């Protein structure tokens, strides 16, 4: 693609930086934690940088980070600057499927020349959009809260892009999985189907939390997502907390989950996640057995959801995936309407009762 920096592997590393020593620990459940970067490590080499909230993994198995005016690579050997100082502002970057760096500066896709200059190649619909790499294409997403509609575009080879769909809130993270896109907006996870062009609700966490990142273990069909301080997995149609000790941006890569938090310069890799997921799956199944007869949805449950301002999509999802005991005689439905329960929710309640 001519709209990308073609010098990722032509430039050389500046080896004057002092190598950092990773901290490794193994827990009793065989999880392996490797801390590759933290603020104390940066202090030990007198390096003060503010990384932007973005990272990627190169084909050489090192992480690519960016602080204003400089790319860095992070691996087992330490943190090293990559290439020349950048002359300009980069809002986001990603490595393309054909292993090249793509950058966004203002409302342009840019490449970087040998002296660090940003060369504008492709104008984007809006400023400071966000990038995500698919299996064969790239995606760009609006981030400006002031836009009435936030759009997602597919960008194919040759610099051509096509509008996919719109959302009311910015999409914080997006991955391509099978024949659909999985994306996070606010506290929810959703999917977009290429064939039907339909957006579907998957799951959500507490309304006062924001999902920052999504990644997936495509071999074992496991979705991970995170806030700034917690990591979750999607197990048995439920969000399950994996860790509340750390969070940030995620990438699942070669049987390991990479976690990068730019706010505190923290980078970790966790290996052997499968065993943890198996254990969590057993916990969820056992918990479901215990709660099966306790969490029966009633008219009062639905009214309380509405009062708590749970979204219509989430309420319908709960109706379709929970034990129910609704009363839907005329008086009951009038009462539901008076309590601001929408017609779509009442129809879902009727359908669910008819399917018993």
């Amino acid at each position: 693609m001519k709209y990308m920096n073609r010098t990722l592997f032509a430039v050389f590393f500046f080896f004057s930086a002092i190598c950092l020593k990773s901290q490794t620990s193994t827990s009793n459940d065989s999880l392996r934690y490797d801390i590759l970067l933290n603020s104390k490590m940066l202090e030990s080499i007198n390096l003060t940088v503010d990384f932007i909230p973005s990272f990627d993994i190169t084909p050489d198995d090192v992480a690519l980070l960016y602080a204003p005016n400089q790319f860095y690579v992070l691996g087992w050997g330490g943190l090293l600057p990559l290439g020349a100082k950048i002359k300009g502002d980069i809002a986001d970057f990603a490595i393309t499927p054909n292993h090249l760096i793509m950058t966004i500066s203002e409302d342009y896709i840019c490449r970087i020349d040998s002296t660090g200059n940003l060369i504008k190649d492709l104008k984007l619909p809006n400023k400071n959009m966000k990038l995500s790499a698919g299996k064969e294409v790239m995606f760009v997403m609006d981030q400006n809260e002031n836009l009435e509609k936030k759009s997602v575009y597919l960008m194919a080879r040759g610099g051509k892009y096509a509008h996919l769909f719109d959302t009311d809130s910015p999409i914080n993270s997006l991955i391509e999985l099978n024949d659909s896109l999985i994306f996070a907006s606010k506290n929810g996870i959703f999917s977009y189907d290429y064939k039907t062009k339909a957006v579907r609700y998957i799951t959500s966490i507490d309304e006062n939390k924001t999902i920052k990142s999504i990644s997936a273990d495509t071999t074992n069909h496991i979705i991970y997502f995170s806030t700034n301080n917690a990591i979750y997995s999607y197990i048995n149609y439920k969000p399950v907390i994996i860790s509340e000790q750390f969070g940030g941006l995620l990438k699942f890569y070669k049987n390991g989950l990479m976690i990068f938090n730019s706010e505190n310069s923290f980078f970790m890799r966790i290996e052997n996640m499968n065993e943890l997921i198996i254990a969590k799956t057993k916990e969820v199944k056992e918990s479901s057995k215990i709660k099966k007869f306790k969490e029966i949805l009633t008219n009062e449950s639905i009214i309380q959801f509405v009062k708590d301002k749970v979204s219509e999509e989430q309420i319908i999802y709960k109706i379709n995936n929970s034990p129910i005991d609704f009363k839907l005689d005329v008086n009951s439905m009038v009462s539901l309407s008076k309590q601001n329960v929408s017609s779509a929710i009442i129809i879902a309640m009727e359908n669910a009762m008819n399917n018993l």
Side-chain angles (χ1 to χ4, degrees), residues 3-7 52 54 64 66 71 86 88-96 100-113 116-124 128-131 138 140 155:
Y3 301 101
M4 302 175 187
N5 176 4
R6 297 184 178 277
T7 62
I52 68 170
S54 183
L64 184 66
Y66 182 77
F71 275 105
I86 305 300
D89 295 324
I90 292 177
D92 198 16
F93 71 91
I95 296 177
T96 69
L100 302 169
I101 295 179
M102 174 180 278
T103 67
I104 289 182
S105 180
E106 296 184 345
D107 53 348
Y108 280 90
I109 294 293
C110 298
R111 56 188 167 86
I112 307 169
D113 69 15
N117 288 306
L118 292 175
I119 309 300
K120 296 178 179 179
D121 275 328
L122 175 66
K123 187 172 176 59
L124 294 172
N128 299 328
M129 299 182 78
K130 193 172 183 65
L131 275 170
M138 299 293 288
V140 287
M155 186 158 55

Side-chain angles (χ1 to χ4, degrees), residues 190 201 204 207 305 308-317 345:
F190 306 85
Y201 166 82
S204 62
E207 286 189 355
F305 288 150
D308 292 340
K309 297 183 179 180
V310 178
S311 72
E312 187 178 86
E313 280 185 320
Q314 292 180 46
I315 294 173
I316 292 173
Y317 178 84
I345 293 173

Side-chain angles (χ1 to χ4, degrees), residues 177-188:
L177 192 62
N178 301 323
D179 294 325
S180 64
L181 299 177
I182 309 297
F183 64 91
S185 182
K186 290 188 175 180
N187 66 319

Side-chain angles (χ1 to χ4, degrees), residues 91-300:
D92 198 16
F93 71 91
I95 296 177
T96 69
N98 53 339
H99 305 157
L100 302 169
I101 295 179
M102 174 180 278
T103 67
I104 289 182
S105 180
E106 296 184 345
D107 53 348
Y108 280 90
I109 294 293
C110 298
R111 56 188 167 86
I112 307 169
D113 69 15
S114 60
T115 62
N117 288 306
L118 292 175
I119 309 300
K120 296 178 179 179
D121 275 328
L122 175 66
K123 187 172 176 59
L124 294 172
N126 293 297
K127 288 187 176 182
N128 299 328
M129 299 182 78
K130 193 172 183 65
L131 275 170
S132 183
K135 289 176 284 190
E136 296 181 359
V137 297
M138 299 293 288
F139 301 93
V140 287
M141 303 158 280
D142 283 321
Q143 295 294 292
N144 188 345
E145 286 277 7
N146 296 324
L147 293 173
E148 183 177 351
K149 292 291 184 182
K150 289 77 177 174
S151 299
V152 178
Y153 299 86
L154 178 152
M155 186 158 55
R157 294 180 183 275
K160 297 179 180 179
Y161 57 87
H163 176 269
L164 292 181
F165 61 95
D166 296 323
T167 61
D168 292 329
S169 302
I171 291 176
N172 296 323
S173 183
L174 178 150
I175 59 172
E176 193 172 18
L177 192 62
N178 301 323
D179 294 325
S180 64
L181 299 177
I182 309 297
F183 64 91
S185 182
K186 290 188 175 180
N187 66 319
I189 302 288
F190 306 85
S191 69
Y192 170 79
D193 187 278
Y194 285 122
K195 294 179 181 178
T196 65
K197 302 187 184 303
V199 174
R200 183 175 67 87
Y201 166 82
I202 296 177
T203 192
S204 62
I205 56 177
D206 293 345
E207 286 189 355
N208 61 344
K209 296 179 180 178
T210 300
I211 297 172
K212 294 291 186 180
S213 186
I214 309 176
S215 191
D217 174 357
T218 55
T219 301
N220 296 293
H221 310 289
I222 300 170
I223 295 175
Y224 297 96
F225 56 97
S226 61
T227 63
N228 271 337
N229 48 29
I231 298 173
Y232 301 76
S233 185
Y234 184 56
I235 300 174
N236 283 5
Y237 308 104
K238 295 180 180 178
V240 176
I241 295 176
I242 300 299
S243 173
E244 292 184 282
Q245 296 178 318
F246 39 75
L249 305 181
L250 305 179
K251 283 191 187 297
F252 194 91
Y253 185 76
K254 291 188 176 179
N255 199 37
L257 188 64
M258 309 290 193
I259 303 118
F260 175 51
N261 192 315
S262 62
E263 294 180 6
N264 53 20
S265 301
F266 178 81
F267 197 106
M268 170 185 278
R269 174 185 168 91
I270 306 177
E271 292 184 338
N272 301 328
M273 294 293 292
N274 272 354
E275 295 183 24
L276 176 61
I277 294 299
I278 290 170
K280 288 288 184 181
T281 302
K282 289 181 179 178
E283 288 179 16
V284 170
K285 286 181 178 179
E286 290 301 317
S287 177
S288 297
K289 289 178 184 178
I290 294 171
K291 295 179 180 179
K292 184 175 180 180
F293 300 105
K294 294 182 180 179
E295 297 183 350
I296 298 175
L297 295 186
T298 63
N299 291 32
E300 289 70 25

Side-chain angles (χ1 to χ4, degrees), residues 75-86:
W76 303 114
L79 180 73
L80 301 170
L82 174 65
K85 292 276 188 181
I86 305 300

